[in-house]
Amino acid sequence: MSELFDAVDALLASRATLPPPAERKRLRAAHGLTIDEVASALKVRRATVSGWESGKTEPRPPERDAYARLLDKLAELYPATPVPAAEHGPTPDAPAPARFPGVPAPAEPQPTEPISSAEAVSEPVKPQVPASDLVDAPAAGPRPASTSTTRTSTSRRPSARKAAAANTPAGGTDPQFENGPLAVVDVEDGKVLAYCFGGLVLDVPAKSLPSLVEWTLREAKLGQPKLSGPGRPADPLLVLTEAALERYGLPVTLTAEEKDAGRIPEGHKVIKQLTRADWKLTKRGFGPWARIYRPAKGSDRQCVQLCIPSWNALDPRFWDHAAELPPAELTRVLGTYATRVMTPRGSTAVTSLELMTALHPPTHAVRDEETGALRQADTKTPGSLGSDPVDCAPCEAPDGHPVLNALDLPRFHVRGPSEKLFEEAYDWARPMTDAECTLRHLVGIDVNMAFAAGANGLNVGLGEPTHVKNPAFDPKLPGSWLVDLSHVDLSRVKAGKEWVDLDGSLLPSPFTPKGDHPTGPAWYATPTVAYAQELGYDVTPNEAYVRYDNGRYLDGWYQRLRDAYLATMADLGVTTDLSPEDFLTAMDGYKDRDPELSIVITAIKATVKGGLGKLRERPRSEGWRPGERWRALERPTWRPDIRAAVISRTRINLHRKIVKHAAFTGQYPIAVLSDCVVYAADGPSPLDVLPYRDGKPLPGGFKLGINPGLVKHEGTQTVLWGEGVREQFDAPQLNFARFIKDGTVTDADNGE
């Protein structure tokens, strides 16, 4: 009989009633669940859940039963609230209000019941457009009662309610971190409050900084689960506002001397308090990103990180105006970044390296066969960079690196391409042809997350380089190769399996950052040499530094940042399923729809470029002299060869699309800057440049879209504007891509 009942239950489940697609999305968002989390729980792809919510597809057994059960439970928690048409909506005779396609309607704040408790990629700089001014938060209303162990809805101000509704953490998280990864500590009406991600506000009883650290570890329930099996959970992060700094005896701003030192003096009274309480600081001391800890006992870590915005912890180049936000809004910005990328560990560049390490920890635990106790393995974790730094090859070393001492170079010797690896981003431009001058517009297109896309699937070295003489080139072997590519003729190349004839004089060389044609042997990373083969030409290296220990180290890093970028852009109304026309419309002014999430987008992009720049970090004063080691060299993540490989692949990816586009349309770029390409066109839109047939782009060419590697509209200016600025600065090869966004050109931009 039980088997019959099971069969009947299965039959009913196959016809389980589901709410409409819009309601499915509302229920998921109300509980703070992401599409990825639902997809992971149901063991389906992200696109599958997205299709269910858009109504394009319907779930089938056995996923349908589980999905219906999830929605039923969420409907009990978040019942739909009917909205009176006369008060909140148009009458039947009134026209429907205009709504931007793809932008979700603002979520109604749900009442919450109390519950028990550095660096950047070295590339030409494009001018940044100032972010939209943020609207001041309304005046604070009466504060609800809260305790240090009570979860309280942030009904203090409308902006806080908005943050709570939009960022409620997903259920089923580790109870140890149920209040989120971080908290912004502020003082209001004499009370110390901790704003947690998701709209929670906790009363903080701590009277001193040591007691605040103790409270954070004992009661706050802050932190983040580990990102990989051998890794460790993220330490809780406290963000101290100016009011909190005053309460705990810290300076609101740093003096000029303290800014130069990057910390407050060792004799400061707060540091003495920490020392008396047996707390320690890391070697970088008490600065904008301070780490306070006690030595770990077994697996029990006692560590809290502080972020101090008024000490320039949130550099406006990478975090826009985040440091000026009120506590609730700042919590939303940092919390969104933390949950989608990771808890910040310093600048976006530092966090990027920490993300690489968190996804591929250098060591892992093994059980001792004799004692049965866990201990660190004697070998590095497979796929990681290990715990010990490795020296780069001489050709990969920046000037002043101690590995160059053995070469006994003259004191003021400048190394050329045959001695030094020059893998950098594009900065190339050419004069316009007569035919191009007859066109009306210059249209710039920009590759989304270009360097992240360049890292995707890239095989990089994990260990030390091996020097090889006269090697046979292997496109699957990461390394640096000394090879002569001057025989590659861009006038006749292979595009796929077909040979095509092009005007090589109108194309940048793929082998040099300035687009100049190579004149002899030079050092190149593997992707560059492999591209020469792809274009149909033989390559014969003279020597190489190769890495036999290799792997796709950056794949997880790329995927984490890609997912964070796409999820945040989707929140801003730009999704991956838009048509080219709808995509251009969605991108128009997307940052103004939610200034806080636009800050997250800026930080995610800075995390990509900053992490790659950190792979070849240069000395930061430190009393360094050429030929001596500097601090960054002691990191396993100081890997200029990995940085060179990513930049090489990014530049090659862009050139491949340029060649495809030229072969198909006869159009050639006028300027290329890093990931931005400028074409002359009759119309002002990218659709006047990019070939689309029946809504489909050129295979292997440029495609409009938000995914990394696809392109967006960077800006449009007139051809008359272009000729005018070149005449103004007497620069026939002025790079338009640098100014195409808003058309503003200054003497400083031109290097004057």
Side-chain angles (χ1 to χ4, degrees):
M1 185 65 69
S2 61
E3 294 180 358
L4 294 176
F5 286 166
D6 291 341
V8 170
D9 289 342
L11 187 63
L12 292 173
S14 69
R15 301 293 188 272
T17 303
L18 298 175
E23 177 66 4
R24 302 170 195 174
K25 185 174 183 178
R26 184 194 73 82
L27 291 172
R28 174 182 59 77
H31 202 61
L33 297 175
T34 66
I35 292 179
D36 290 319
E37 289 171 327
V38 175
S40 176
L42 299 179
K43 294 181 173 55
V44 297
R45 296 186 302 115
R46 186 183 193 278
T48 302
V49 178
S50 181
W52 296 345
E53 291 189 354
S54 65
K56 293 181 179 179
T57 59
E58 287 294 315
R60 293 179 295 182
E63 291 84 7
R64 185 183 181 93
D65 182 28
Y67 189 47
R69 180 180 178 85
L70 170 66
L71 296 176
D72 287 343
K73 295 296 183 181
L74 292 177
E76 295 175 5
L77 295 172
Y78 310 101
T81 304
V83 181
E87 183 177 354
H88 296 289
T91 62
D93 297 330
R99 173 160 295 283
F100 183 86
V103 179
E108 287 293 326
Q110 299 293 332
T112 306
E113 296 294 333
I115 302 175
S116 176
S117 51
E119 291 271 346
V121 175
S122 297
E123 61 168 313
V125 178
K126 290 181 283 188
Q128 298 295 318
V129 177
S132 302
D133 293 336
L134 300 178
V135 179
D136 291 336
R143 183 177 66 252
S146 62
T147 69
S148 61
T149 58
T150 301
R151 180 177 297 191
T152 311
S153 68
T154 53
S155 58
R156 195 163 283 101
R157 51 170 74 100
S159 57
R161 290 199 298 271
K162 175 184 174 185
N167 293 286
T168 305
T173 57
D174 191 330
Q176 182 183 355
F177 312 124
E178 69 179 38
N179 291 339
L182 54 86
V184 176
V185 180
D186 191 30
V187 180
E188 293 185 19
D189 300 332
K191 280 193 172 184
V192 182
L193 304 174
Y195 287 77
C196 303
F197 184 57
L200 311 180
V201 179
L202 305 177
D203 271 346
V204 181
K207 304 297 183 183
S208 66
L209 192 63
S211 60
L212 175 64
V213 175
E214 295 275 7
W215 172 83
T216 302
L217 294 172
R218 286 199 324 268
E219 300 182 41
K221 296 187 177 181
L222 297 174
Q224 195 172 25
K226 58 186 178 180
L227 296 180
S228 66
R232 64 169 187 252
D235 299 317
L237 173 65
L238 296 181
V239 184
L240 303 183
T241 66
E242 294 184 7
L245 292 174
E246 292 180 345
R247 169 61 64 92
Y248 291 115
L250 290 165
V252 172
T253 58
L254 298 180
T255 65
E257 294 79 9
E258 290 168 345
K259 288 180 181 178
D260 290 340
R263 64 184 75 186
I264 59 177
E266 296 293 331
H268 194 280
K269 62 178 182 180
V270 173
I271 296 182
K272 292 180 179 179
Q273 291 175 1
L274 292 169
T275 302
R276 287 196 296 268
D278 294 328
W279 291 106
K280 299 179 181 294
L281 294 167
T282 58
K283 290 182 180 179
R284 63 182 174 184
F286 203 124
W289 291 92
R291 296 187 69 79
I292 303 172
Y293 72 99
R294 286 175 179 150
K297 297 178 180 179
S299 61
D300 182 23
R301 281 176 55 85
Q302 296 189 72
C303 184
V304 173
Q305 179 162 304
L306 303 183
C307 167
I308 306 178
S310 65
W311 294 6
N312 201 37
L314 302 176
D315 191 318
R317 293 175 298 172
F318 315 127
W319 289 98
D320 289 339
H321 296 88
E324 303 171 10
L325 294 176
E329 286 82 344
L330 180 56
T331 304
R332 182 188 181 215
V333 168
L334 294 178
T336 302
Y337 178 89
T339 54
R340 292 179 177 177
V341 180
M342 73 176 301
T343 303
R345 295 284 302 272
S347 67
T348 50
V350 170
T351 302
S352 187
L353 288 189
E354 293 290 343
L355 178 60
M356 296 179 193
T357 304
L359 293 168
H360 291 286
T363 61
H364 57 283
V366 295
R367 192 168 298 280
D368 191 294
E369 296 181 358
E370 296 181 359
T371 65
L374 291 175
R375 60 173 179 81
Q376 292 293 336
D378 297 327
T379 57
K380 72 172 187 176
T381 303
S384 76
L385 298 180
S387 301
D388 300 319
V390 297
D391 279 336
C392 60
C395 64
E396 298 163 350
D399 294 337
H401 193 286
V403 76
L404 300 177
N405 295 342
L407 301 183
D408 197 24
L409 298 173
R411 183 175 181 184
F412 298 106
H413 177 71
V414 178
R415 292 183 293 159
S418 62
E419 301 169 291
K420 182 180 178 181
L421 182 68
F422 286 95
E423 292 286 11
E424 301 294 343
Y426 264 132
D427 185 358
W428 170 88
R430 62 170 176 82
M432 285 190 286
T433 65
D434 291 342
E436 289 165 343
C437 288
T438 65
L439 302 176
R440 299 179 59 188
H441 297 93
L442 298 174
V443 180
I445 55 176
D446 182 81
V447 181
N448 296 314
M449 301 271 283
F451 293 99
N456 182 30
L458 178 63
N459 204 32
V460 299
L462 302 178
E464 297 181 350
T466 300
H467 189 211
V468 184
K469 285 284 189 179
N470 300 316
F473 176 68
D474 182 353
K476 296 181 180 180
L477 187 60
S480 300
W481 309 78
L482 180 63
V483 58
D484 189 351
L485 300 180
S486 60
H487 63 290
V488 177
D489 183 7
L490 295 180
S491 298
R492 183 166 177 76
V493 299
K494 267 190 175 181
K497 296 182 179 180
E498 301 289 334
W499 284 92
V500 296
D501 294 323
L502 303 171
D503 188 342
S505 65
L506 301 180
L507 288 170
S509 169
F511 309 126
T512 61
K514 292 293 184 180
D516 301 328
H517 195 74
T519 57
W523 286 99
Y524 303 102
T526 297
T528 303
V529 185
Y531 186 57
Q533 276 191 335
E534 181 183 326
L535 292 176
Y537 292 87
D538 293 330
V539 294
T540 307
N542 299 328
E543 60 178 305
Y545 287 91
V546 297
R547 288 170 169 83
Y548 296 110
D549 179 11
N550 54 69
R552 292 167 59 162
Y553 176 72
L554 296 175
D555 274 11
W557 176 84
Y558 160 76
Q559 291 161 8
R560 183 82 176 173
L561 291 167
R562 174 205 61 193
D563 292 347
Y565 176 71
L566 293 180
T568 309
M569 289 301 296
D571 290 342
L572 289 167
V574 186
T575 58
T576 59
D577 56 354
L578 297 175
S579 67
E581 294 80 6
D582 288 344
F583 170 72
L584 292 175
T585 304
M587 288 295 294
D588 186 16
Y590 74 93
K591 289 188 175 182
D592 297 333
R593 293 177 204 135
D594 193 326
E596 294 162 21
L597 288 183
S598 74
I599 294 175
V600 178
I601 287 294
T602 301
I604 292 171
K605 292 180 178 179
T607 303
V608 174
K609 292 185 178 181
L612 297 176
K614 274 281 189 182
L615 291 172
R616 199 190 64 166
E617 184 179 1
R618 301 305 307 278
R620 296 171 175 262
S621 64
E622 309 167 7
W624 173 82
R625 293 181 179 180
E628 298 176 347
R629 296 188 69 83
W630 60 91
R631 188 186 311 168
L633 299 186
E634 307 310 318
R635 293 195 323 252
T637 49
W638 194 86
R639 293 296 301 270
D641 57 299
I642 295 179
R643 172 188 177 275
V646 174
I647 295 177
S648 165
R649 183 124 178 276
T650 303
R651 195 181 66 247
I652 294 307
N653 285 346
L654 185 59
H655 195 274
R656 184 182 292 111
K657 289 181 171 62
I658 289 172
V659 168
K660 287 272 190 181
H661 187 83
F664 188 79
T665 67
Q667 294 175 319
Y668 293 84
I670 292 171
V672 185
L673 184 73
S674 183
D675 48 9
C676 177
V677 187
V678 176
Y679 286 95
D682 277 324
S685 168
L687 292 175
D688 296 311
V689 175
L690 306 183
Y692 273 82
R693 289 183 176 178
D694 300 325
K696 296 181 179 180
L698 168 67
F702 295 108
K703 177 183 178 182
L704 288 168
I706 198 57
N707 277 303
L710 305 188
V711 299
K712 62 181 182 293
H713 186 202
E714 178 70 4
T716 296
Q717 304 297 329
T718 65
V719 169
L720 290 177
W721 164 88
E723 288 301 308
V725 296
R726 281 184 170 174
E727 289 180 7
Q728 177 185 351
F729 294 104
D730 191 23
Q733 291 180 287
L734 184 72
N735 195 325
F736 293 143
R738 196 182 304 276
F739 324 109
I740 197 72
K741 195 175 189 73
D742 62 1
T744 303
V745 187
T746 66
D747 289 344
D749 292 329
N750 192 39
E752 299 283 334

